[in-house]
Each structure stands twice: as structure tokens, then as C-alpha cells.
Amino acid sequence: MNFPANLKYTKSHEWLKKTAEGTVQIGLTDHAQNELGDLVFVNLPSVGDALTVGESFADVESVKAVSDVFSPVTAVVAAVNELLLDDPAMINTDCYDAWLIEAEGIELEDELLNAEEYEAFIQEEA
């Protein structure tokens, strides 16, 4: 498994990356995409939608199941990765490049883990 040190992680298996523009990109971790299997559909929010920490903002469908994606921040959707709508398997190929959304106006971050803490959390779950 790959857990880049420059990202923050949630216990619900999302990653968060701060951008130079002051927004954050949010996506699914390597562990999440591995557990889900081949992704076939992504349902993303619209630009301008409100995000609430801990609440679902999107869902992904694999050949196994449909899974919610939870927000690690309270914010507003600034951008949506529309490439994923046509090719959700990009998440399986490179989950850290295939961000789901960018958020701005961040008010609150959930309990975020660094790479080492997230890896330890994954091992505890196994």
C-alpha cells in the first residue's frame, strides 16, 4: 500500500491535500480503492455544494458495492474532477492523482491522520 507523507488521511479512508491556492483536494486512499475493487461509477457533488465534516458528499460504485465518500472538512465544493465521470477506474490506477473534489472556505477539519498514523490504523483494522 502507498500512503504519501504529504497527505492527511481519515479513518473513513479519504485523503486530503492542501493546494497552493488555499483549497484542498479530497480523494480515496489506496486502501479504499483496493478494498472496493474495480470502480465503475462515481457520483460527485456540484460546484457550490456545501460539505459538512463527517457527512457523505459522494458515492462510488464498484463491482462489489456502492460506498459513500465522507467529507473530512466543512467547506464548499470549488471544483469537481469531471474526468472521473467518464473513467472512474482512474481511481484504481492512481488514487492520489484522481482527486474527487476541491473544497474552499474550510472551517473545520476532522481528526486527520498523517501517513504513519493512517498506516497503523489500517493494520489495527485488519
Side-chain angles (χ1 to χ4, degrees):
M1 297 270 160
N2 178 24
F3 308 116
N6 64 321
L7 303 178
K8 295 292 185 180
Y9 301 88
T10 69
K11 290 183 177 179
S12 55
H13 309 292
E14 293 84 20
W15 59 260
L16 181 140
K17 175 183 170 185
K18 294 183 180 181
T19 68
E21 295 79 28
T23 62
V24 293
Q25 292 180 333
I26 300 169
L28 291 174
T29 67
D30 194 21
H31 174 76
Q33 70 80 25
N34 188 53
E35 291 292 309
L36 290 167
D38 295 334
L39 294 172
V40 296
F41 181 76
V42 178
N43 182 25
L44 299 172
S46 299
V47 171
D49 283 357
L51 302 172
T52 302
V53 66
E55 292 189 10
S56 173
F57 70 85
D59 56 74
V60 293
E61 183 177 343
S62 70
V63 293
K64 293 180 181 180
V66 176
S67 300
D68 287 329
V69 182
F70 298 95
S71 181
V73 296
T74 296
V76 175
V77 177
V80 174
N81 189 347
E82 294 186 11
L83 297 174
L84 298 179
L85 301 176
D86 292 328
D87 189 8
M90 289 173 61
I91 297 168
N92 296 114
T93 306
D94 187 357
C95 63
Y96 299 115
D97 194 41
W99 52 274
L100 301 173
I101 63 167
E102 278 193 26
E104 64 186 0
I106 298 156
E107 297 172 12
L108 177 70
E109 294 182 10
D110 199 0
E111 291 183 29
L112 300 177
L113 308 173
N114 64 32
E116 189 175 289
E117 292 166 334
Y118 181 67
E119 189 169 5
F121 173 73
I122 296 297
Q123 291 173 354
E124 288 173 16
E125 272 195 326

